[in-house]
Amino acid sequence: MATLGGCDMEPAQPPDPVADAAYATARARMVHDQIAARGVTDARVLGAMARVPRHEFVSAAQRRLAYEDGPLPIGHGQTISQPYIVAFMTAALDPKPDHRVLEIGTGSGYQAAVLSGLVAEVYSIEIVEPLALRAAEDLKRLGHANVKVRVGDGYLGWPEAAPFDAIIVTCAPEQVPQALVEQLRTGGRMIIPVGSQWGGQELVLLRKTARGLEKREVLPVRFVPMVGGNRRP
Ligand code: SAH
């Protein structure tokens, strides 16, 4: 069958109500056991995690693992994040229905799909073109019409669409990119893993206030590195 950009994903399967019901049950268990049990309480976020079919964002080979408690490979050396981390980061943004959100690191498109049901618009940037193309197609197929995907270096943000009410970064730069701070609305929040592959990374929650940036380290994490513009010469 045709593949997009040399990826190992196959086109959509025909509808299967029995499988869909089993996936919904697995998802409900995921929300209860992995996410709510670890302290994410935002009802809208839990609702989105219970609705978005994570199995649609992984390959057929990974599908039976889609609701397990961990990251999964999505090709090109990248991963879809652990469900708990997706929920934690989403809740940290305090998403509102009128928000416009920027995501750096589209990957599979799953995080963008979760946000899509919670906010007005999602802008997502992915540096690996085949991943961006595949995610855009999956998001469209699943009806997430309020997500725009662009191929590019997220280090530079998406200036034409700024300012954003919230920014979520799902790959780790060594420092917070200044362009992203500039593209955040005053009062807005950014959640971003900062650090190196070796020295450890911290998930940092930033709030841009009229008096400056408030910064809080909230969780030790391990994300793939942000590549591109932040590379040292
Ligand atoms: N949010 C994704 C998981 C992302 S994995 C999901 O829900 O599936 C991190 C992604 O960041 C990878 O796809 C990687 O290619 C991408 N990435 C790395 N550096 C980047 C950069 N400078 N700009 C945009 N995307 C980048």
Side-chain angles (χ1 to χ4, degrees), residues 186-204:
T186 302
R189 296 171 176 224
M190 183 184 337
I191 186 93
I192 176 168
V194 181
S196 67
Q197 284 306 91
W198 305 278
Q201 300 166 3
E202 281 287 334
L203 207 49
V204 176

Side-chain angles (χ1 to χ4, degrees), residues 31-62:
V31 170
H32 182 268
D33 296 354
Q34 302 170 28
I35 300 173
R38 291 193 179 107
V40 175
T41 54
D42 185 320
R44 292 181 72 238
V45 174
L46 296 179
M49 296 298 298
R51 275 193 307 276
V52 177
R54 191 169 186 259
H55 66 277
E56 298 279 3
F57 293 88
V58 297
S59 68
Q62 303 292 333

Side-chain angles (χ1 to χ4, degrees), residues 71-81 105-108 126-128 131 134 170-171 223-227:
L72 291 171
I74 55 171
H76 302 271
Q78 307 301 330
T79 55
I80 180 173
S81 307
T106 315
S108 66
E126 170 57 54
I127 204 162
V128 177
L131 287 177
R134 188 176 68 199
T170 65
C171 46
F223 278 81
V224 299
M226 181 184 277
V227 297

Side-chain angles (χ1 to χ4, degrees), residues 102-113:
L102 174 65
E103 178 190 30
I104 310 302
T106 315
S108 66
Y110 175 67
Q111 170 74 71

Side-chain angles (χ1 to χ4, degrees), residues 4 29 40 63 70 73 108-109 119 128 138 168-169 188 207 209:
L4 180 68
R29 197 175 306 133
V40 175
R63 208 155 281 164
S108 66
V119 302
V128 177
D138 284 337
I168 180 166
V169 183
R207 280 203 55 208
T209 73

